[in-house]
Amino acid sequence: SQTIHQWPATLVQPVGSPLSLECTVEGTSNPNLYWYRQAAGRGLQLLFYSVGIGQISSEVPQNLSASRPQDRQFILSSKKLLLSDSGFYLCAWNPGGDSPLHFGNGTRLTVT
Amino acid sequence: QKEVEQNSGPLSVPEGAIASLNCTYSDRGSQSFFWYRQYSGKSPELIMSIYSNGDKEDGRFTAQLNKASQYVSLLIRDSQPSDSATYLCAVTGTASKLTFGTGTRLQVTL
């Protein structure tokens, strides 16, 4: 069966520091991968998605970037965090088409 | 107009009652519809998928889809306190892009 791993679970970072969140999927190949952010009391905002290695689509221009160095690895990064980057970051995957998304456990990021 | 709309709630129902959660969407070409449950501080968990008009039942959950009226609903029978969570409606539009509503918070009271 497929599993998705996301780490770390929680992170407290000062403003201006870098960020790296990692997500890996097991038990499938060539998944579509997604990064979402959920601000407190808000809906899910799609940040990036990828349909293959090195293929990244950005939904919302902001202080973040994403990379997919391997088929089942998706990384969310920032060079300098802003206070507004605080939130609950979720990695998700699906096999493509109209399949539902399956989410990792999420990373709660607090920028101080 | 939001692409996927849900009443934010909270929707309060007594234990054992039926909870009815509703969602409307704007893209008439939408083909896939999903309900997720999200407990506070946790990630969303898929509970129902529905692709064609009508009802789909899975245990205590029933999803209902009406494409002509552009709404999808979720019924939870015999509601339990453990059902207290936020329920997210998600719709795949014509560009195969999955769009989420902001969720309805359900409270099941003893």
Side-chain angles (χ1 to χ4, degrees):
Chain A
S1 63
Q2 301 87 5
T3 56
I4 179 169
H5 302 280
Q6 187 180 344
W7 66 92
T10 60
L11 194 58
V12 179
Q13 293 283 98
V15 168
S17 64
L19 173 73
S20 181
L21 302 180
E22 189 164 342
C23 171
T24 60
V25 179
E26 295 178 354
T28 187
S29 59
N30 198 31
N32 286 354
L33 297 171
Y34 304 80
W35 280 111
Y36 282 85
R37 178 171 62 198
Q38 188 175 40
R42 304 284 296 277
L44 288 167
Q45 179 186 34
L46 178 61
L47 302 176
F48 301 95
Y49 68 94
S50 171
V51 298
I53 295 175
Q55 300 179 61
I56 309 295
S57 296
S58 174
E59 286 292 304
V60 181
Q62 50 199 297
N63 187 40
L64 302 168
S65 62
S67 62
R68 184 170 177 172
Q70 300 181 43
D71 181 44
R72 290 170 289 170
Q73 183 185 29
F74 206 22
I75 298 172
L76 182 69
S77 303
S78 174
K79 292 182 178 179
K80 290 185 178 181
L81 284 168
L82 306 173
L83 286 174
S84 58
D85 291 324
S86 293
F88 191 39
Y89 287 81
L90 291 156
C91 182
W93 80 275
N94 75 354
D98 291 341
S99 302
L101 296 184
H102 302 278
F103 289 89
N105 289 334
T107 296
R108 187 159 307 280
L109 172 66
T110 303
V111 182
T112 61
Chain B
Q1 181 188 10
K2 293 182 180 178
E3 294 180 60
V4 179
E5 293 205 50
Q6 297 181 256
N7 188 316
S8 61
L11 172 66
S12 185
V13 300
E15 184 177 6
I18 295 175
S20 178
L21 305 164
N22 300 310
C23 170
T24 59
Y25 59 95
S26 60
D27 185 346
R28 282 198 169 274
S30 297
Q31 296 294 325
S32 306
F33 308 86
F34 310 102
W35 283 99
Y36 288 81
R37 177 176 62 200
Q38 186 175 25
Y39 292 114
S40 180
K42 302 297 185 181
S43 63
E45 172 192 12
L46 178 70
I47 54 173
M48 289 289 285
S49 304
I50 187 166
Y51 300 92
S52 55
N53 279 329
D55 295 0
K56 179 182 178 182
E57 186 175 318
D58 184 1
R60 296 187 296 112
F61 299 100
T62 298
Q64 299 175 318
L65 175 60
N66 185 323
K67 289 186 179 181
S69 300
Q70 295 176 248
Y71 83 78
V72 57
S73 62
L74 179 70
L75 301 179
I76 306 175
R77 291 181 299 281
D78 188 24
S79 295
Q80 301 296 310
S82 59
D83 295 325
S84 297
T86 296
Y87 289 80
L88 304 174
C89 173
V91 177
T92 300
T94 49
S96 294
K97 175 185 172 184
L98 188 62
T99 301
F100 285 85
T102 54
T104 298
R105 188 157 64 95
L106 173 66
Q107 293 178 336
V108 180
T109 58
L110 297 173

